[in-house]
């Protein structure tokens, strides 16, 4: 593994609510390497999207980054002012937002939406230069240059997602946060969009954090998998090891709930519901749903510990082995 391009240390995001503070991202640390695709999975409310938004400096009040560091190119992004973050976002780290269908402006042509971020970074182009640049970006993500003159409502779901990709890569960022880039797309379009994203990533030499629920998509796409539960990172492993020998009971249950084409297998859902962040169980937040709960689980929160080569997990069961 080469040097990390992005280093996240002990990141915490809190929401101050009338019922008390809520830790949506709770002491999360990991590295992202150059050219790597890291998947982040977990049930809704596990903190994946909040983490992605924190990395691009888009946490809105009443939320705030309450602590930690986000190192990119020798700079701690967590310490930047909103104005300083504006210069970094898109140029160094870009977001493909969840629900591209709704994130494009319905009344502005695609051309202007692509150029908006570029101009915002002080890059001025003549009209012919801008036309060529937009056409090039659209072609790079598999769209015809005529799409530049269209509005979002004239595009299919897959085309809108590609436009979101064109915007995200418009300044050739080093890191792309792709938040559920293929949700609401049919499987064929999903596959094509992901192929395009991987092509673009290889061409730019960028790294990607791919946020999603779809373990099948993760298996085909990512190099490493991070699993989040109740705002914490509970497992981080190379994808093959995570799929064939998951260490954390939650990861194991997530994988057991997947259908397979090899023989008949009884699908098992994960019992219970994801906890409310305002009212987390004491000790390990997974203990009310875990089939292996034992005495320390209800009292102590297990730390994330190294459990193998490039493998980390947070579970009391693994402490002796580690
Ligand atoms: Fe289950 Fe205990 Fe491990 Fe939590 S710490 S995942 S409750 S065995």
């Amino acid at each position: 593994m080469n040097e990390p391009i992005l280093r996240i240390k002990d990141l915490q995001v809190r929401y101050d609510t009338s019922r008390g503070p809520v830790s949506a991202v709770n002491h999360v640390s990991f590295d992202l390497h150059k050219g790597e695709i890291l998947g982040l999975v977990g049930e809704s409310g596990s903190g994946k999207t909040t983490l992605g938004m924190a990395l691009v400096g888009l946490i809105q009040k009443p939320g705030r980054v309450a602590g930690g560091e986000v190192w990119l190119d020798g700079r701690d992004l967590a310490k930047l002012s909103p104005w300083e973050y504006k210069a970094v976002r898109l140029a160094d780290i870009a977001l493909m937002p969840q629900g591209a269908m709704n994130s494009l402006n319905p009344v502005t042509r695609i051309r202007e939406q692509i150029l908006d971020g570029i101009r915002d970074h002080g890059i001025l182009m003549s009209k012919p230069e801008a036309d060529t640049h937009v056409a090039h970006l659209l072609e790079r993500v598999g769209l015809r240059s005529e799409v530049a003159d269209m509005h979002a409502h004239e595009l299919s779901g897959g085309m809108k997602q590609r436009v979101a990709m064109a915007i995200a890569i418009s300044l050739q960022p080093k890191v792309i946060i792709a938040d559920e880039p293929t949700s609401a797309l049919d499987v064929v379009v999903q596959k094509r969009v992901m192929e395009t994203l991987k092509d673009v990533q290889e061409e730019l030499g960028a790294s990607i954090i791919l946020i999603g629920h779809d373990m099948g998509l993760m298996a085909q796409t990512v190099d490493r998998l991070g699993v989040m539960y109740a705002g914490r990172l509970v497992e981080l492993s190379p994808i093959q090891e995570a799929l064939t020998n998951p260490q954390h009971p939650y990861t194991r249950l997530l994988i057991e709930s997947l259908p397979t084409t090899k023989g008949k297998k009884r699908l098992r859902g994960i019992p219970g519901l994801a906890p409310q962040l305002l009212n987390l169980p004491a000790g390990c937040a997974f203990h009310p749903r875990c089939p292996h709960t034992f005495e320390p689980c209800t009292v102590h929160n297990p730390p994330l510990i190294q459990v193998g080569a490039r493998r980390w997990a947070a579970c009391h069961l693994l402490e002796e082995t580690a």
Side-chain angles (χ1 to χ4, degrees), residues 248-249 284 286-287 290 292-294 297 302 314-317:
H248 195 281
C284 171
F286 189 54
H287 87 251
C290 179
H292 307 288
T293 302
F294 63 120
C297 309
C315 173
H316 290 307
L317 285 174

Side-chain angles (χ1 to χ4, degrees), residues 72-124:
L72 176 66
D73 267 354
R75 268 203 298 181
D76 181 5
L77 305 187
K79 304 284 182 300
L80 298 184
S81 70
W83 282 106
E84 288 168 326
Y85 228 123
K86 240 182 138 192
V88 171
R89 196 181 307 125
L90 204 63
D92 294 321
I93 183 165
L95 174 73
M96 280 177 68
Q98 197 178 84
M101 322 280 177
N102 309 322
S103 56
L104 296 176
N105 187 324
V107 295
T108 308
R109 290 185 199 279
I110 298 302
R111 176 186 192 280
E112 292 309 308
Q113 297 191 52
I114 293 175
L115 289 173
D116 197 31
I118 298 173
R119 289 184 189 127
D120 208 38
H121 281 76
I123 301 168
L124 301 177

Side-chain angles (χ1 to χ4, degrees), residues 233-237 246-249 251 302-308 311-316 318-319 322:
L233 188 65
V234 296
E235 180 157 359
L236 183 64
S237 286
Q247 295 292 300
H248 195 281
T251 316
L304 190 73
I305 51 173
Q306 186 148 16
V307 292
R311 303 201 70 181
W312 285 264
C315 173
H316 290 307
L318 302 166
E319 280 165 6

Side-chain angles (χ1 to χ4, degrees), residues 111-249:
R111 176 186 192 280
E112 292 309 308
Q113 297 191 52
I114 293 175
L115 289 173
D116 197 31
I118 298 173
R119 289 184 189 127
D120 208 38
H121 281 76
I123 301 168
L124 301 177
M125 296 178 190
S126 65
K127 186 172 180 308
E129 281 169 348
D131 287 343
T132 308
H133 189 62
V134 169
H136 175 63
L137 283 170
L138 290 172
E139 278 160 22
R140 228 168 166 185
V141 298
L143 293 171
R144 289 174 292 116
S145 55
E146 291 80 17
V147 169
D149 290 321
M150 298 168 110
H151 290 89
H153 71 268
E154 297 174 90
L155 309 179
S156 68
M159 291 167 86
K160 285 180 201 166
Q161 199 59 67
R162 287 172 191 273
V163 170
M165 201 186 306
I167 294 171
I169 63 164
S170 59
L171 290 177
Q172 307 197 341
K174 301 174 188 79
V175 176
I176 300 168
I177 314 292
D179 191 356
E180 303 206 26
T182 58
S183 60
L185 301 178
D186 68 59
V187 281
V188 178
V189 180
Q190 261 186 22
K191 188 167 181 289
R192 290 198 188 130
V193 168
M194 284 315 300
E195 281 168 359
T196 307
L197 182 59
K198 281 190 88 167
D199 289 347
V200 164
Q201 177 241 350
E202 276 167 25
E203 201 182 318
L204 293 180
S207 310
I208 295 180
I209 295 179
L210 177 64
I211 296 171
H213 293 270
D214 186 339
M215 286 291 252
L217 186 71
M218 294 291 166
Q220 290 166 12
T221 313
V222 308
D223 302 303
R224 281 192 304 155
L225 187 71
V227 180
M228 291 192 69
Y229 190 80
R232 286 184 175 265
L233 188 65
V234 296
E235 180 157 359
L236 183 64
S237 286
I239 183 68
Q240 274 315 316
E241 282 98 317
L243 294 173
T244 54
N245 183 21
Q247 295 292 300
H248 195 281

